[in-house]
Amino acid sequence: MSAPELTPPQSNLPEAASRFGAHVLSDAASRARDIKAATGGPVGLPLPPAPPAVPPPAPAASATPPAGVAGRGTGLERILRGPSGLGTAGLRLFRREEPPTPSEPAVDTADGRPVPGLYYHPIPEPDPVRVEEVSRRIKAWALDEVALYPEEWEDQFDGFSVGRYMVGCHPDAPSIDHLMLATRLMVAENAVDDCYCEDHGGSPVGLGERLLLAHTALDPLYTAKEYQPQWTESLRADAPRRAYRSAMEYFVRAAGPSQADRLRHDMARLHMGYLAEAAWAQQDHVPEVWEYLAMRQFNNFRPCPTITDTVGGYELPADLHARADMQKVIALAGNATTIVNDLYSYTKELDSPGQHLNLPVVIAKREGLSDRDAYLKSVEVHNELMHDFETEAAALAVACPVPGVQRFLRGVAAWVDGNHHWHRSNTYRYSLPDFW
């Protein structure tokens, strides 16, 4: 299939787990002003309502938290109940269920088996109507707009179930068009990882050059006029660059300038993490556990939850996003969700050629533990990161009781839960080791 012309895409672009809610502000007028200032409504292009066939999910009637949430105190109970007060009813989507206690055996189901002992929050099954439509659109984009993969990769593309992934991670997206912003970026990021770093032609050799040139599809090059056409032509050079450019063009048409620049920053972080892992591969080096975890704070899912407000159709102001405590929350969310990937992809990576670094492998080699004990210790590391994420998010919700902050925190929490749901239920890609 020949590469399509990369003309700017045309778009007509028109809260999640009730874990973190807003405080009731005493004055109704002040509360209304805060909501308008902090959430601001949809940003970028005017956004029409979602098509009738794919309505956004309805809010649940109750947001009362279940009993037995670890680490919950009196102040945190208010936050867990979700938002209340003028204009906040629509920010709740569903009541969160609690997972089985670690002492109970994990149950095999058609939706996959959860890692025993893992701290997570189950979510409702993603809306099948939305899943079907996102899946249809993303495949058309991949094939017809960016010629992303050859015919023989179709089963792998379908097995990734990216539509189900993104619908589960963004339950507050007001339309399919909003969901597609995240879905294109997710597919493009995976194309870069597979084709530049992993098992579809990837190599640590020369990775820095490839990533730099691909990054210019996200962060445009401004150079001498004589050489500008050559750079423009280079963006057609391969599937990852075509995908990056197209996905980013759609995104910037819907996002505010600070949201777009925030994404570019987090993508640069991601690429830096790729390079660290590549350096270890070239040296045949297994890092210390702390070094591996440092790398994983960069080579992780962080670009995904950081765009939760754009996908939700609003904008968290740049000064609130840049707060040190907000950055800590986002980093912890990325770290925890990435260890989820290490745990669920463990057997898949063992079956792949060469040595793949993941947390259980690094702990086993560096701390002299058996494979089983290293895996179980990795579960403990994940659980600590998850509890830290929830503690820090709750503290931020108290310290900054602005509706836009509350909404963003719920969006990040929803992404964390949706990411686990997809990993657990994607039996095409993942299966658990026989350690229990």
Side-chain angles (χ1 to χ4, degrees), residues 3 8 14 19 42 61 75-76 95 133 138 179 295 324 376 415 431 436:
R19 202 178 312 169
L76 184 55
R95 175 175 175 171
E133 179 62 11
I138 192 59
L179 285 166
M295 180 274 292
L376 297 181
W415 204 94
S431 61
W436 298 275

Side-chain angles (χ1 to χ4, degrees), residues 235-320:
L235 299 181
R236 296 181 171 88
D238 59 18
R241 278 184 252 183
R242 293 193 297 271
Y244 259 7
R245 184 187 187 190
S246 177
M248 194 66 182
E249 284 177 339
Y250 278 101
F251 186 80
V252 298
R253 290 175 66 86
S258 67
Q259 290 173 306
D261 203 53
R262 177 204 308 171
L263 175 61
R264 294 185 186 104
H265 188 186
D266 279 348
M267 291 302 294
R269 285 178 162 129
L270 175 67
H271 294 157
M272 186 162 60
Y274 286 170
L275 291 174
E277 190 169 11
W280 292 332
Q282 284 186 286
Q283 299 164 11
D284 195 23
H285 172 69
V286 176
E288 297 288 347
V289 177
W290 73 265
E291 292 174 318
Y292 177 81
L293 290 172
M295 180 274 292
R296 272 313 217 179
Q297 182 161 311
F298 294 85
N299 178 4
N300 75 7
F301 288 113
R302 183 175 181 140
C304 302
T306 205
I307 65 171
T308 187
D309 54 339
T310 310
V311 182
Y314 67 100
E315 179 168 3
L316 179 69
D319 59 334
L320 296 179

Side-chain angles (χ1 to χ4, degrees), residues 92-404:
R92 296 188 214 98
L93 292 186
F94 50 82
R95 175 175 175 171
R96 187 185 65 187
E97 301 174 22
E98 287 303 302
T101 61
S103 60
E104 296 176 0
V107 178
D108 288 295
T109 70
D111 291 332
R113 181 188 185 202
V115 172
L118 194 75
Y119 178 65
Y120 70 97
H121 304 291
I123 66 169
E125 185 61 26
D127 179 357
V129 178
R130 284 192 156 202
V131 169
E132 182 179 1
E133 179 62 11
V134 171
S135 300
R136 183 191 68 79
R137 290 197 196 183
I138 192 59
K139 193 166 185 178
W141 174 79
L143 290 174
D144 301 334
E145 291 193 43
V146 297
L148 185 61
Y149 61 87
E151 185 176 343
E152 56 268 25
W153 293 4
E154 183 173 6
D155 287 347
Q156 295 177 54
F157 186 88
D158 292 343
F160 193 82
S161 301
V162 68
R164 188 165 177 268
Y165 194 177
M166 293 297 95
V167 173
C169 285
H170 295 284
D172 67 339
S175 75
I176 296 296
D177 287 321
H178 287 85
L179 285 166
M180 286 300 298
L181 298 174
T183 309
R184 292 186 201 92
L185 286 166
M186 171 62 79
V187 170
E189 290 161 25
N190 275 274
V192 169
D193 191 24
D194 286 346
C195 297
Y196 284 7
C197 309
E198 297 289 346
D199 51 357
H200 285 307
S203 167
V205 179
L207 179 60
E209 177 190 14
R210 296 192 298 276
L211 286 177
L212 174 66
L213 295 178
H215 194 81
T216 67
L218 306 172
D219 201 347
L221 177 66
Y222 303 103
T223 188
K225 291 181 181 179
E226 178 182 354
Y227 303 105
Q228 193 82 20
Q230 292 169 274
W231 166 71
T232 301
E233 182 60 31
S234 77
L235 299 181
R236 296 181 171 88
D238 59 18
R241 278 184 252 183
R242 293 193 297 271
Y244 259 7
R245 184 187 187 190
S246 177
M248 194 66 182
E249 284 177 339
Y250 278 101
F251 186 80
V252 298
R253 290 175 66 86
S258 67
Q259 290 173 306
D261 203 53
R262 177 204 308 171
L263 175 61
R264 294 185 186 104
H265 188 186
D266 279 348
M267 291 302 294
R269 285 178 162 129
L270 175 67
H271 294 157
M272 186 162 60
Y274 286 170
L275 291 174
E277 190 169 11
W280 292 332
Q282 284 186 286
Q283 299 164 11
D284 195 23
H285 172 69
V286 176
E288 297 288 347
V289 177
W290 73 265
E291 292 174 318
Y292 177 81
L293 290 172
M295 180 274 292
R296 272 313 217 179
Q297 182 161 311
F298 294 85
N299 178 4
N300 75 7
F301 288 113
R302 183 175 181 140
C304 302
T306 205
I307 65 171
T308 187
D309 54 339
T310 310
V311 182
Y314 67 100
E315 179 168 3
L316 179 69
D319 59 334
L320 296 179
H321 181 268
R323 286 176 57 120
D325 44 6
M326 179 66 79
Q327 289 297 301
K328 185 175 184 180
V329 167
I330 296 170
L332 284 166
N335 293 348
T337 53
T338 302
I339 302 307
V340 164
N341 180 264
D342 278 10
L343 293 169
Y344 280 96
S345 65
Y346 177 76
T347 57
K348 176 176 177 285
E349 291 183 346
L350 287 182
D351 292 339
S352 301
Q355 175 177 267
H356 287 258
L357 291 182
N358 54 54
L359 185 57
V361 166
V362 173
I363 289 177
K365 289 185 178 294
R366 281 297 185 178
E367 299 188 359
L369 298 181
S370 68
D371 291 346
R372 178 184 182 275
D373 288 346
Y375 190 94
L376 297 181
K377 185 171 183 179
S378 299
V379 173
E380 294 175 2
V381 170
H382 164 271
N383 291 351
E384 179 181 338
L385 292 170
M386 271 289 289
H387 287 301
D388 287 348
F389 159 66
E390 295 190 341
T391 299
E392 295 295 333
L396 175 54
V398 171
C400 189
V402 177

